[in-house]
Amino acid sequence: MIVDIHSHLYPPWFVDWFRQRSDVPRVAVEDGADRFLLFTTGEGKVSGPLLTDEYTSVGAKLAFMDRHGIDRSIVSLGNPWLEVFDPDEAFDMAREANARMASLSRETAGRIFGMGVLPPVEPHLVAEVVVDVARRPGLRGVIASTKIGQLLLDDAALDPVWKALNDTRVPVMIHPMIVDLPADLAGYGIALSAGIGFPFQTTMAMARLLLGEVLERHPHLRVLAVHGGGALPYLIGRLEGSHAGTKEGRLRESARRLLLDAALYEADAVRMAASLVGAEHLLFGTDHPFPNADVERISRAIDSGLTGSEKKLVMGAAAASWYDLP
């Protein structure tokens, strides 16, 4: 069984929420087509994808899966989730979004499972949403930004959220969200923003999670860092050596608790990610429907970088276990 744990969808009802916004991120009509204006660069330019069926249609998602032999997908809403909405509205929006995403498994006969979304509200309310997600059989985990409710991941105020995730065993996928791009990430399409900016955000978030001993305090947390954990597998030693008082090996040992996706494109990068967390913590993901969803290249890197038994774990067996797939 092949399982894609990193896949996004912009359902029509979600797109409608962004049509009502006047500020970026928002949806605007350009030449008769919807464009999701996601990023404002340092030069004041606004960019984002055209919302073709690949972005909005469950049928197109299933067709993509069929083309690439993907048996099951765990699908989340796409960036920027609910982070940009007023907290007074976002709590109810999260409940509605999660109920809608939970219906995907029924609509697709179990091929697609939804992922919940968290609102940018007070931590105790975010924890309530986590518990609600755990009670919905059609959901498998939640997606969160590199901040939760505008708080950095090592902020002690987030302990109610981590406790809820720990107690319910609901996996949380940490995914970067850049709305205002620094000027030095502008240009070259999405090469700098998606290729460098996103993984750099993930790296910083995971570093704070490790340095803040969040995983030690909550031993049953299932935290997945997208894009292979950013630069963490490469820089874990330097991070540890740069933090005064950290016992050698502590951060690496803590990092082995993380789950990483294997959307890394190169065999050497796949091997390095596996060396940090183990193949049983490395999971196949495509990042569909974005342009960098190069399934053949991602699969080739996994095939070249790992042994046969490791590949079986990465391509689906590990995900089936971590996400409690039937």
Coordinates of all heavy atoms in Angstrom, one line a residue, residues 5-56:
I5 N 1.1 11.2 2.6 CA 0.7 11.9 3.9 C 0.8 13.4 3.7 O 0.5 14.1 4.7 CB 1.5 11.4 5.1 CG1 3.0 11.5 4.8 CG2 1.2 10.0 5.4 CD1 3.6 12.8 5.1
H6 N 1.3 13.9 2.6 CA 1.5 15.3 2.4 C 0.8 15.7 1.1 O 1.4 15.8 0.0 CB 2.9 15.7 2.4 CG 3.2 17.2 2.3 ND1 4.5 17.7 2.4 CD2 2.3 18.2 2.2 CE1 4.4 19.1 2.4 NE2 3.1 19.4 2.2
S7 N -0.5 16.0 1.2 CA -1.3 16.4 0.0 C -2.3 17.4 0.4 O -2.9 17.4 1.6 CB -2.0 15.1 -0.5 OG -2.7 15.4 -1.7
H8 N -2.6 18.4 -0.4 CA -3.4 19.5 -0.1 C -4.6 19.6 -1.0 O -4.6 19.1 -2.1 CB -2.6 20.8 -0.2 CG -1.4 20.9 0.7 ND1 -1.5 20.8 2.1 CD2 -0.1 21.0 0.4 CE1 -0.3 20.9 2.6 NE2 0.6 21.0 1.6
L9 N -5.6 20.3 -0.5 CA -6.9 20.5 -1.2 C -7.4 21.9 -0.9 O -7.3 22.4 0.3 CB -7.9 19.5 -0.9 CG -9.2 19.4 -1.7 CD1 -8.9 19.0 -3.1 CD2 -10.2 18.4 -1.1
Y10 N -7.9 22.6 -1.9 CA -8.6 23.9 -1.7 C -10.1 23.7 -2.1 O -10.5 24.1 -3.2 CB -8.0 25.0 -2.5 CG -6.6 25.4 -2.0 CD1 -5.5 24.7 -2.4 CD2 -6.4 26.5 -1.2 CE1 -4.2 25.1 -2.0 CE2 -5.2 26.9 -0.7 CZ -4.0 26.2 -1.1 OH -2.8 26.5 -0.7
P11 N -10.9 23.1 -1.3 CA -12.3 22.9 -1.7 C -13.0 24.2 -2.0 O -12.7 25.2 -1.4 CB -12.9 22.2 -0.4 CG -11.7 21.7 0.4 CD -10.6 22.7 0.1
P12 N -14.1 24.1 -2.8 CA -14.8 25.4 -3.1 C -15.3 26.2 -1.9 O -15.2 27.4 -2.0 CB -16.0 24.8 -4.0 CG -15.5 23.6 -4.6 CD -14.6 23.0 -3.6
W13 N -15.7 25.5 -0.9 CA -16.2 26.2 0.3 C -15.0 27.0 1.0 O -15.2 28.1 1.5 CB -16.9 25.3 1.3 CG -16.1 24.1 1.7 CD1 -16.1 22.9 1.1 CD2 -15.1 24.0 2.8 NE1 -15.2 22.0 1.8 CE2 -14.6 22.7 2.8 CE3 -14.6 25.0 3.7 CZ2 -13.6 22.3 3.7 CZ3 -13.7 24.5 4.6 CH2 -13.2 23.2 4.6
F14 N -13.8 26.4 0.9 CA -12.7 27.0 1.5 C -12.3 28.3 0.6 O -11.9 29.3 1.2 CB -11.5 26.0 1.6 CG -10.3 26.5 2.3 CD1 -10.4 26.9 3.6 CD2 -9.1 26.4 1.7 CE1 -9.2 27.3 4.3 CE2 -7.9 26.8 2.4 CZ -8.0 27.3 3.7
V15 N -12.3 28.1 -0.7 CA -12.0 29.2 -1.6 C -13.0 30.3 -1.4 O -12.6 31.5 -1.4 CB -12.1 28.7 -3.1 CG1 -11.9 29.8 -4.0 CG2 -11.0 27.6 -3.3
D16 N -14.2 30.0 -1.1 CA -15.2 31.1 -0.9 C -14.9 31.9 0.3 O -15.1 33.1 0.3 CB -16.6 30.5 -0.7 CG -17.2 30.0 -2.0 OD1 -16.7 30.4 -3.1 OD2 -18.2 29.2 -2.0
W17 N -14.3 31.3 1.3 CA -13.9 32.1 2.5 C -12.9 33.2 2.1 O -12.9 34.3 2.7 CB -13.4 31.2 3.6 CG -14.4 30.3 4.2 CD1 -15.7 30.4 4.1 CD2 -14.2 29.3 5.2 NE1 -16.4 29.4 4.8 CE2 -15.4 28.7 5.5 CE3 -13.0 28.7 5.8 CZ2 -15.6 27.7 6.5 CZ3 -13.2 27.7 6.7 CH2 -14.4 27.2 7.0
F18 N -12.0 32.8 1.2 CA -11.0 33.8 0.8 C -11.4 34.8 -0.2 O -10.7 35.8 -0.4 CB -9.7 33.0 0.4 CG -8.9 32.4 1.5 CD1 -9.2 31.1 2.0 CD2 -7.9 33.1 2.2 CE1 -8.5 30.6 3.1 CE2 -7.2 32.6 3.2 CZ -7.5 31.3 3.7
R19 N -12.5 34.5 -0.9 CA -13.1 35.5 -1.8 C -13.6 36.7 -1.0 O -13.6 37.8 -1.6 CB -14.3 34.9 -2.5 CG -14.0 33.9 -3.6 CD -15.3 33.5 -4.3 NE -15.2 32.2 -4.9 CZ -14.7 32.0 -6.1 NH1 -14.1 33.0 -6.7 NH2 -14.6 30.8 -6.6
Q20 N -13.9 36.5 0.2 CA -14.5 37.6 1.0 C -13.4 38.6 1.6 O -13.7 39.6 2.2 CB -15.4 37.0 2.1 CG -16.5 36.2 1.6 CD -17.2 35.4 2.7 OE1 -17.2 35.8 3.9 NE2 -17.7 34.2 2.4
R21 N -12.2 38.2 1.4 CA -11.1 39.0 2.0 C -10.6 40.0 1.0 O -10.6 39.8 -0.2 CB -9.9 38.1 2.3 CG -10.1 37.2 3.6 CD -8.9 36.4 3.8 NE -7.7 37.1 3.9 CZ -7.2 37.8 5.0 NH1 -8.0 37.8 6.1 NH2 -6.1 38.5 5.0
S22 N -10.2 41.2 1.5 CA -9.7 42.2 0.6 C -8.2 42.3 0.7 O -7.6 42.9 -0.2 CB -10.3 43.6 1.0 OG -10.0 43.9 2.4
D23 N -7.6 41.7 1.7 CA -6.1 41.7 1.9 C -5.6 40.4 1.5 O -6.3 39.3 1.6 CB -5.8 42.0 3.3 CG -6.2 43.4 3.8 OD1 -6.2 44.3 2.9 OD2 -6.6 43.6 5.0
V24 N -4.3 40.3 1.1 CA -3.6 39.1 0.8 C -3.4 38.4 2.2 O -3.0 39.0 3.2 CB -2.3 39.4 0.2 CG1 -1.4 38.1 0.0 CG2 -2.5 40.1 -1.2
P25 N -3.6 37.1 2.2 CA -4.0 36.2 1.1 C -5.5 36.3 0.8 O -6.4 36.3 1.7 CB -3.7 34.8 1.6 CG -3.8 34.9 3.1 CD -3.4 36.3 3.5
R26 N -5.9 36.2 -0.5 CA -7.2 36.3 -0.9 C -7.4 35.6 -2.3 O -6.3 35.4 -2.9 CB -7.7 37.7 -1.0 CG -7.0 38.6 -2.0 CD -7.4 40.0 -1.9 NE -6.7 40.9 -2.9 CZ -7.1 41.1 -4.1 NH1 -8.3 40.7 -4.5 NH2 -6.5 41.9 -5.0
V27 N -8.6 35.4 -2.7 CA -8.9 34.9 -4.0 C -9.4 36.0 -4.9 O -10.3 36.7 -4.5 CB -9.9 33.7 -4.0 CG1 -10.3 33.3 -5.4 CG2 -9.2 32.5 -3.2
A28 N -8.8 36.1 -6.1 CA -9.3 37.1 -7.0 C -9.4 36.5 -8.4 O -8.8 35.5 -8.7 CB -8.3 38.3 -7.1
V29 N -10.3 37.1 -9.2 CA -10.5 36.6 -10.6 C -9.6 37.3 -11.5 O -9.5 38.6 -11.5 CB -12.0 36.8 -11.0 CG1 -12.2 36.4 -12.5 CG2 -12.9 36.1 -10.1
E30 N -8.8 36.6 -12.3 CA -7.9 37.1 -13.3 C -8.1 36.4 -14.6 O -8.0 35.2 -14.7 CB -6.4 36.9 -12.9 CG -6.0 37.7 -11.7 CD -4.5 37.6 -11.4 OE1 -3.8 37.0 -12.2 OE2 -4.0 38.1 -10.4
D31 N -8.5 37.2 -15.6 CA -8.8 36.7 -16.9 C -9.8 35.5 -16.9 O -9.7 34.5 -17.5 CB -7.5 36.2 -17.6 CG -6.5 37.3 -17.8 OD1 -7.0 38.5 -18.1 OD2 -5.3 37.1 -17.7
G32 N -10.8 35.7 -16.0 CA -11.9 34.7 -15.9 C -11.6 33.5 -15.1 O -12.4 32.5 -15.0
A33 N -10.4 33.5 -14.4 CA -10.0 32.3 -13.6 C -9.7 32.8 -12.2 O -9.2 33.9 -12.0 CB -8.8 31.6 -14.2
D34 N -9.9 31.9 -11.2 CA -9.6 32.2 -9.8 C -8.1 32.1 -9.6 O -7.5 31.0 -10.0 CB -10.3 31.3 -8.9 CG -11.8 31.6 -8.8 OD1 -12.2 32.8 -9.0 OD2 -12.6 30.7 -8.5
R35 N -7.5 33.0 -9.0 CA -6.1 32.9 -8.6 C -6.1 33.2 -7.0 O -6.6 34.1 -6.5 CB -5.2 34.0 -9.3 CG -3.7 33.8 -8.9 CD -2.9 34.8 -9.6 NE -2.8 34.6 -11.1 CZ -2.0 33.7 -11.7 NH1 -1.2 32.9 -10.9 NH2 -2.0 33.6 -13.0
F36 N -5.3 32.3 -6.4 CA -5.1 32.4 -4.9 C -3.9 33.3 -4.7 O -2.8 32.8 -4.9 CB -4.9 31.1 -4.3 CG -5.4 31.0 -2.8 CD1 -6.2 30.0 -2.3 CD2 -5.0 32.0 -1.9 CE1 -6.6 30.0 -1.0 CE2 -5.3 32.0 -0.6 CZ -6.2 31.0 -0.1
L37 N -4.1 34.5 -4.3 CA -3.0 35.5 -4.1 C -2.5 35.2 -2.7 O -3.0 35.7 -1.7 CB -3.5 36.9 -4.3 CG -4.1 37.2 -5.7 CD1 -4.7 38.6 -5.7 CD2 -3.1 37.0 -6.7
L38 N -1.4 34.4 -2.6 CA -0.9 34.0 -1.4 C 0.3 34.8 -0.8 O 0.4 35.1 0.4 CB -0.4 32.5 -1.5 CG -1.4 31.4 -1.5 CD1 -0.8 30.1 -1.9 CD2 -2.1 31.3 -0.2
F39 N 1.2 35.2 -1.7 CA 2.4 35.8 -1.2 C 2.6 37.3 -1.7 O 2.3 37.6 -2.8 CB 3.6 35.0 -1.8 CG 3.6 33.6 -1.5 CD1 3.6 32.6 -2.6 CD2 3.5 33.1 -0.2 CE1 3.5 31.3 -2.3 CE2 3.4 31.8 0.1 CZ 3.5 30.8 -1.0
T40 N 3.0 38.1 -0.7 CA 3.4 39.4 -1.0 C 4.9 39.5 -0.9 O 5.5 39.2 0.2 CB 2.8 40.5 -0.1 OG1 1.3 40.4 -0.3 CG2 3.2 41.9 -0.5
T41 N 5.7 39.8 -1.9 CA 7.1 39.9 -1.9 C 7.6 41.2 -1.3 O 6.8 42.2 -1.2 CB 7.7 39.7 -3.3 OG1 7.5 40.8 -4.0 CG2 7.1 38.5 -4.0
G42 N 8.9 41.3 -1.1 CA 9.4 42.5 -0.6 C 9.3 43.7 -1.6 O 9.5 44.8 -1.2
E43 N 9.1 43.3 -2.8 CA 8.9 44.4 -3.9 C 7.5 44.8 -4.0 O 7.2 45.5 -4.9 CB 9.5 43.8 -5.2 CG 10.9 43.4 -5.1 CD 11.4 42.6 -6.4 OE1 10.5 42.0 -7.0 OE2 12.6 42.5 -6.6
G44 N 6.6 44.3 -3.2 CA 5.2 44.6 -3.3 C 4.4 43.8 -4.3 O 3.2 44.1 -4.5
K45 N 5.0 42.9 -4.9 CA 4.3 42.1 -5.9 C 3.5 40.9 -5.2 O 4.0 40.5 -4.1 CB 5.3 41.5 -6.9 CG 6.0 42.5 -7.8 CD 6.9 41.8 -8.8 CE 7.7 42.9 -9.6 NZ 8.6 42.3 -10.5
V46 N 2.4 40.5 -5.8 CA 1.6 39.5 -5.2 C 1.5 38.3 -6.2 O 1.4 38.5 -7.4 CB 0.2 40.0 -4.9 CG1 -0.7 38.9 -4.3 CG2 0.2 41.2 -4.0
S47 N 1.7 37.1 -5.6 CA 1.7 35.9 -6.5 C 1.0 34.8 -5.8 O 0.7 34.8 -4.6 CB 3.1 35.5 -6.8 OG 3.8 35.1 -5.7
G48 N 0.6 33.8 -6.6 CA -0.1 32.6 -6.1 C -0.6 31.8 -7.3 O -0.6 32.3 -8.4
P49 N -1.1 30.6 -7.0 CA -1.5 29.7 -8.1 C -2.9 30.0 -8.6 O -3.7 30.5 -7.9 CB -1.4 28.3 -7.4 CG -1.8 28.6 -6.0 CD -1.2 29.9 -5.7
L50 N -3.0 29.6 -9.9 CA -4.4 29.6 -10.5 C -5.1 28.3 -9.9 O -4.5 27.2 -9.8 CB -4.3 29.4 -12.0 CG -4.1 30.7 -12.8 CD1 -3.9 30.4 -14.3 CD2 -5.2 31.7 -12.6
L51 N -6.3 28.5 -9.5 CA -7.0 27.4 -8.8 C -7.7 26.5 -9.8 O -8.9 26.6 -10.1 CB -8.0 28.0 -7.8 CG -7.4 28.7 -6.6 CD1 -8.5 29.3 -5.7 CD2 -6.5 27.7 -5.8
T52 N -6.9 25.7 -10.5 CA -7.5 24.7 -11.4 C -8.1 23.6 -10.6 O -8.1 23.5 -9.4 CB -6.3 24.1 -12.3 OG1 -5.4 23.5 -11.4 CG2 -5.6 25.3 -13.0
D53 N -8.7 22.6 -11.4 CA -9.3 21.5 -10.7 C -8.3 20.7 -9.9 O -8.7 20.1 -8.9 CB -9.9 20.5 -11.8 CG -11.2 21.0 -12.3 OD1 -11.8 22.0 -11.8 OD2 -11.7 20.5 -13.3
E54 N -7.1 20.7 -10.2 CA -6.1 20.0 -9.4 C -6.0 20.5 -8.0 O -5.7 19.8 -7.1 CB -4.7 20.2 -10.1 CG -4.5 19.4 -11.4 CD -4.4 17.9 -11.1 OE1 -3.5 17.5 -10.4 OE2 -5.2 17.2 -11.7
Y55 N -6.4 21.8 -7.8 CA -6.3 22.4 -6.5 C -7.7 22.2 -5.7 O -7.7 22.1 -4.5 CB -6.0 23.9 -6.6 CG -4.6 24.2 -6.9 CD1 -4.2 24.2 -8.2 CD2 -3.7 24.5 -5.9 CE1 -2.8 24.5 -8.5 CE2 -2.4 24.8 -6.2 CZ -1.9 24.8 -7.5 OH -0.6 25.1 -7.8
T56 N -8.8 22.1 -6.5 CA -10.1 22.3 -5.8 C -10.9 21.0 -5.8 O -11.9 20.9 -5.1 CB -10.9 23.4 -6.5 OG1 -11.1 23.1 -7.9 CG2 -10.1 24.7 -6.4

